Structures are given as C-alpha cells and as structure tokens.
Amino acid sequence: MKTVIILSDSLSAGLASNFAAVLGMSLGKQVPDLVGSDTTSADGILLKGITTVPLPILCAPESDLPALFDAAEELPIRFAYMRAAFEANDYADYMLRITSTSFGEQVPQGILLAGPRKAVARICGQLPLLR
C-alpha cells in the first residue's frame, strides 16, 4: 500500500502541519493496523507505536485538488480535508456545512490517498514534496 497526503500549496506552514496531522489521524482510525506496536527504549521509556508506512506530504495548486480527489475514486482509501473544517466553530457546525453543500461547491484543502502503489503513483507521482 502507498499512502500520500496532498495539500494545497497556498497553505501557511501552520495550517499545512495541522491539516496533515488531521488526515494522518483519520488514516490511523480507518486502518489501525498501520500503527506499529509500542516499544521501550533501552532505559525503559515506553514509546507508543507510530506509522509503519511512509506518509509523504506533497503539494498541488488548490484548484487541482478536486480533480485529484476524483481521480482517486477507485482507491480503497481517500479522505478530503475541506475548507469547512477550519471555518467551522465545532464538529457539529462542520457537519452542517458539509451536508448542506454539494462536494463540487466545497473547497478541499488537502486529501489523503492510499492504495496500490502504481495506482497512487499514477494519480500523484509528478507532484512535488511540500517544502
């Protein structure tokens, strides 16, 4: 499985970091087996499990994100982080904003894709890493 996060290249560093974290949490909930087991350092400090797969963070123009999301329709995992998520006051407000507007009228700020390596690469293989 290949996993990637693609963020709008117009986001500030703070928002990009936050959105990547949110998408990563969503992936961990959807596929908990991607989180490895806990381990203990040589001096006895318990370290909780982290992802067992690479999760590169790429960027694309905001206007390209809807088409990238659509291109990933056949992938087993695709999440979108919508503008409504950071404009909402709480999760109930977010849900209301999402359910009252068609997807085409909303603005994705980031997406997470996961699936067969070749299929994911075909969709986003030419995108640069977020810098």
Side-chain angles (χ1 to χ4, degrees):
M1 178 184 319
K2 179 177 178 80
T3 57
V4 298
I5 292 175
I6 307 167
L7 299 175
S8 167
D9 61 6
S10 65
L11 295 173
S12 68
L15 287 176
S17 298
N18 178 266
F19 295 178
V22 168
L23 287 166
M25 287 180 65
S26 297
L27 178 65
K29 180 180 182 198
Q30 183 74 27
V31 189
D33 292 346
L34 292 180
V35 178
S37 61
D38 298 348
T39 189
T40 305
S41 68
D43 56 351
I45 305 297
L46 177 66
L47 300 172
K48 294 294 185 178
I50 62 171
T51 181
T52 60
V53 296
L55 189 54
I57 302 175
L58 311 175
C59 63
E62 182 177 293
S63 60
D64 290 354
L65 292 176
L68 291 166
F69 187 80
D70 287 346
E73 184 176 10
E74 299 299 320
L75 292 180
I77 297 173
R78 69 176 182 156
F79 302 134
Y81 188 101
M82 308 306 282
R83 180 180 302 254
F86 72 91
E87 292 175 341
N89 295 319
D90 54 32
Y91 201 77
D93 184 27
Y94 165 72
M95 289 176 53
L96 178 63
R97 289 169 185 254
I98 294 296
T99 60
S100 64
T101 310
S102 71
F103 183 83
E105 296 176 276
Q106 299 183 48
V107 183
Q109 299 296 291
I111 58 177
L112 182 145
L113 308 177
R117 183 168 299 282
K118 287 182 180 182
V120 173
R122 193 170 33 256
I123 295 166
C124 61
Q126 301 302 315
L127 295 176
L129 285 170
L130 178 68
R131 298 204 183 269

